[in-house]
Amino acid sequence: QVQLVESGGGLVQPGGSLRLSCAASGFTFSSYAMSWVRQAPGKGLEWVSDINNSGGSTYYADSVKGRFTISRDNAKNTLYLQMNSLKPEDTAVYYCVKDRTMYNAATGGMDYWGKGTLVTVSS
């Protein structure tokens, strides 16, 4: 079955960096777009970023554009999110999500979610 396992979260000071990873299994990783979605404490879900199946197209929420970089390694079935210049408002649980199509979540939605990894940005 589809499994998405996030790692790399933790406590970081404002201005710091973290890299999240998501190990995928149970499906043909290279055939699907992937997303990162986050949920801050007490708030709703926020789409963060998306990457198409080949990695050639990437999309970002305005709140993270210029600070976060999404990437993937199809040979390793792994999705990444490099987060730089972190702010306290980036504190959230970050979820790795499989999209339904090869293009992006806006095209066909999302279907499988990981359990998430907590990122806390605080001094």
Side-chain angles (χ1 to χ4, degrees):
Q1 74 274 24
V2 174
Q3 285 195 317
L4 300 168
V5 180
E6 303 93 340
S7 61
L11 174 63
V12 62
Q13 292 187 340
S17 298
L18 278 178
R19 188 175 83 154
L20 305 184
S21 299
C22 171
S25 61
F27 65 104
T28 305
F29 182 71
S30 60
S31 294
Y32 293 91
M34 298 291 295
S35 296
W36 288 99
V37 176
R38 68 185 180 184
Q39 186 168 30
K43 297 190 176 180
L45 294 170
E46 178 189 17
W47 170 80
V48 173
S49 183
D50 209 334
I51 186 168
N52 75 337
N53 67 314
S54 68
S57 295
T58 57
Y59 310 88
Y60 298 94
D62 287 344
S63 58
V64 306
K65 200 172 294 182
R67 300 188 298 120
F68 290 11
T69 302
I70 191 171
S71 62
R72 65 191 296 160
D73 185 334
N74 285 345
K76 295 183 178 179
N77 288 354
T78 302
L79 176 72
Y80 303 100
L81 186 68
Q82 178 67 43
M83 305 186 295
N84 298 329
S85 302
L86 282 161
K87 305 175 182 180
E89 51 263 44
D90 294 318
T91 295
V93 176
Y94 284 73
Y95 297 95
C96 169
V97 188
K98 174 185 170 293
D99 295 349
R100 292 182 185 274
T101 75
M102 61 190 292
Y103 302 108
N104 53 55
T107 302
M110 309 171 186
D111 51 11
Y112 290 94
W113 294 62
K115 293 184 178 180
T117 186
L118 176 63
V119 172
T120 303
V121 184
S122 175
S123 54

